[in-house]
């Protein structure tokens, strides 16, 4: 089971941007550890990662979104407001980690200024968390293709092809 960051939006975006009440925020923190424990008690292995970037890295990524035409689609008004509230988001993250890090469902922080290394480190760590053994696989052999003398492959009409531009 995988949750993306939206599972914790109540603790971050919703808190910082005022999209939830204080009561809703507190209710989230009362129920999250219980819910996660219920998942674990039912046999689900829950592993939580927080990809952490520095203020300078976030600034550089947002600048890239502003000036790189291939990344401009990623930039939203919410990003601009989030950038302004960097410290509020950082405080909300610290609170979230503190209040939802439990022995049953700990958080793991991934240093993510370098996206490629962060992903590789996370994958390696994730694989170390999951007990597995090698499964013996039978050797697969491709059978010979049957050729029927009376079959003739039909041409595809030219107007059905996607134009070969590249």
């Amino acid at each position: 089971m995988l949750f993306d960051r939206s599972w914790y939006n109540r603790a971050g975006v919703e808190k910082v941007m005022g999209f939830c009440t204080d009561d809703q925020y507190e209710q989230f923190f009362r129920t999250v550890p219980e819910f996660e424990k219920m998942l674990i008690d039912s046999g689900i292995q829950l592993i939580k990662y927080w990809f952490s970037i520095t203020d300078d890295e976030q600034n550089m990524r947002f600048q890239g979104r502003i000036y790189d035409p291939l990344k401009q689609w990623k930039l939203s008004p919410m990003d601009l407001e989030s950038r302004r509230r960097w410290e509020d988001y950082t405080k909300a993250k610290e609170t979230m980690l503190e209040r939802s890090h439990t022995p049953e469902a700990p958080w793991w922080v991934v240093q993510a200024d370098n996206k490629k290394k962060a992903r590789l480190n996370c994958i390696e760590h994730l694989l170390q968390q999951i007990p597995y053994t090698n499964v013996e696989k039978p050797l697969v052999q491709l059978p010979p293709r049957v050729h029927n003398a009376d079959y003739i492959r039909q041409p595809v009409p030219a107007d059905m092809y996607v134009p070969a531009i590249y």
Side-chain angles (χ1 to χ4, degrees):
M1 175 182 297
L2 294 173
F3 293 125
D4 65 6
R5 66 177 173 229
S6 64
W7 169 243
Y8 285 94
N9 265 357
R10 178 67 40 102
V13 174
E14 292 182 27
K15 171 66 173 168
V16 173
M17 301 303 284
F19 297 157
C20 68
T21 66
D22 289 342
D23 288 342
Q24 291 169 325
Y25 177 74
E26 288 302 323
Q27 172 70 14
F28 173 79
F29 280 121
R30 280 192 302 276
T31 59
V32 163
E34 294 171 19
F35 176 70
E36 290 177 350
K37 187 170 183 332
M38 285 179 5
L39 291 174
I40 293 162
D41 289 347
S42 68
I44 294 172
Q45 186 169 3
L46 182 62
I47 305 168
K48 302 185 300 193
Y49 291 103
W50 179 268
F51 282 65
S52 183
I53 63 172
T54 61
D55 184 16
D56 288 341
E57 179 64 20
Q58 187 193 50
N59 183 57
M60 187 177 74
R61 290 182 187 181
F62 281 177
Q63 291 294 332
R65 290 178 185 181
I66 290 170
Y67 297 109
D68 184 341
L70 299 176
K71 294 181 180 179
Q72 287 175 350
W73 66 271
K74 292 181 174 184
L75 190 64
S76 71
M78 185 70 94
D79 289 328
L80 300 175
E81 186 58 27
S82 297
R83 179 67 189 143
R84 194 175 74 74
R85 298 182 189 209
W86 168 263
E87 287 183 15
D88 293 335
Y89 272 99
T90 301
K91 289 176 191 174
K93 173 201 71 174
E94 291 166 350
T95 300
M96 181 197 70
L97 293 176
E98 177 185 325
R99 294 187 68 183
S100 62
H101 176 82
T102 64
E104 299 84 15
W107 277 100
W108 295 98
V109 177
V110 179
Q111 296 296 335
D113 280 359
N114 181 312
K115 286 184 183 184
K116 183 176 181 179
K117 287 181 181 180
R119 291 171 182 160
L120 290 172
N121 287 331
C122 186
I123 290 167
E124 174 68 25
H125 185 268
L126 176 64
L127 292 175
Q128 297 304 317
Q129 304 306 303
I130 300 170
Y132 63 93
T133 57
N134 287 332
V135 176
E136 292 295 325
K137 296 177 230 162
L139 180 62
V140 176
Q141 291 187 359
L142 192 62
R145 183 181 164 302
V146 174
H147 292 274
N148 293 305
D150 60 338
Y151 172 73
I152 299 172
R153 187 173 181 178
Q154 299 299 309
V156 176
D159 63 345
M160 289 179 68
Y161 282 100
V162 170
I165 298 170
Y166 304 103

